[in-house]
Amino acid sequence: MKHLDAWRDMEAAQSYARAIAAITTRAWTIMEICGSQTHSIVRYGIDRMMPDGVTLLHGPGCPVCVTPAAIIDAAIAIAKRREVTLCSFGDMLRVPGEHGSLLNARAAGADVRFVYSPLDALRIARNEPHRCVVFLAIGFETTAPATAMAVLQAEREGLENFFLLVAHVRVPPALEAILSDAASGVQGILAAGHVCTVMGYREYEAIAQRFHVPVVVTGFEPIDLLQGIYLCIKQLETRRAEVENPYYRAVHPEGNRAAQAAMMKVFAVRARAWRGLGEIAESGLGFAPAYHRFDALARFTSGIMPADCPTECIAAELLRARKRPADCPAFGTRCTPEHPLGPTMVSSEGVCAAYYRYRRTQTVRERSTVSAPNGGEQGAV
Ligand code: SF4
């Protein structure tokens, strides 16, 4: 606790805020990648500590939010089979697909269970050999190694009733897609510390050079974030675009080699659709040929994923760092955590959930006056 206190120290935070103001000579737009970082920024009011012109935008780093509706619909179709027990994380069960949520399917009689990890699903498969247990595996490079370990364990035990519906995604290709977007105003990046704990940060060096954006590997506590913003603006002000790692207490440049090896033994890089962002080349993980027998999509469906349909939810614009929750006419009125219309309100890491939890009154009040960042459309009233 003592250690944590140092990263939440108010005097240190104010000192960083003053230092940021002192080096800032013009407007800058910085995007944090991770939903947990977004929650810390909103919770601790870090965006309000910024000098005029410095804008913090929220990126695509919530795994529940970026999972396409088509995957959820595929999970529902699989869960409806009498021999199947479908398992996933609690938030994932509440996210709407085109045809309701997994919780709706459970209410209609499907065997849908929430678990805390893929190993929980593996335990169910071990204990209930008469059931086909399918784990809906979502998340970035942070969680993919644990999924891979569950597959390797199932292989060791010779379990034949354990399957995965894989929706794992990779951060660097999504980052490149956002930075390649002509409408993007993102000038600096706070990279997600936990992804870098697994993957290191070598992949970001090419991105920093190609797009001439500074990338700072950042943790999740207030001082981590303020330090990341300070270093990012310092680079921007001096026209540098490098990768910096002040989060060295957790991140090694090469990441965790053992975790990477497990992940790349079971999975192979492939194109993946993201909710609202469409298909991005090399942005996902699918089974390597040797592990294809664990693929629930091939085992229980035709294996073909339909495309998502458009909805009134503007989560896609939020995940591209083009808009904020205040720009959504449904925020806080028709869309709430109790009655969510989209994934960014469902997920505990979602940006709409963050603003609803910490800024609801202000955000609803400001909706008529807040302009979308980067010259986007005026927020609807
Ligand atoms: S407030 Fe609801 S409808 Fe609007 S973007 Fe967020 S999740 Fe989607």
Side-chain angles (χ1 to χ4, degrees), residues 311-316 318 324-325 327-332 334-336 339-346 351-353:
T311 71
E312 68 170 315
C313 173
I314 64 163
L318 306 182
R324 291 173 169 173
D327 299 314
C328 177
F331 177 87
R334 285 176 297 114
C335 184
T336 65
H339 300 285
L341 295 179
T344 43
M345 187 63 92
V346 174
V351 61
C352 297

Side-chain angles (χ1 to χ4, degrees), residues 176-201:
E176 291 186 72
I178 288 170
L179 293 171
S180 302
D181 183 346
S184 167
V186 173
Q187 294 164 301
I189 304 284
L190 304 183
H194 47 21
V195 170
C196 295
T197 302
V198 174
M199 300 305 294
Y201 51 80

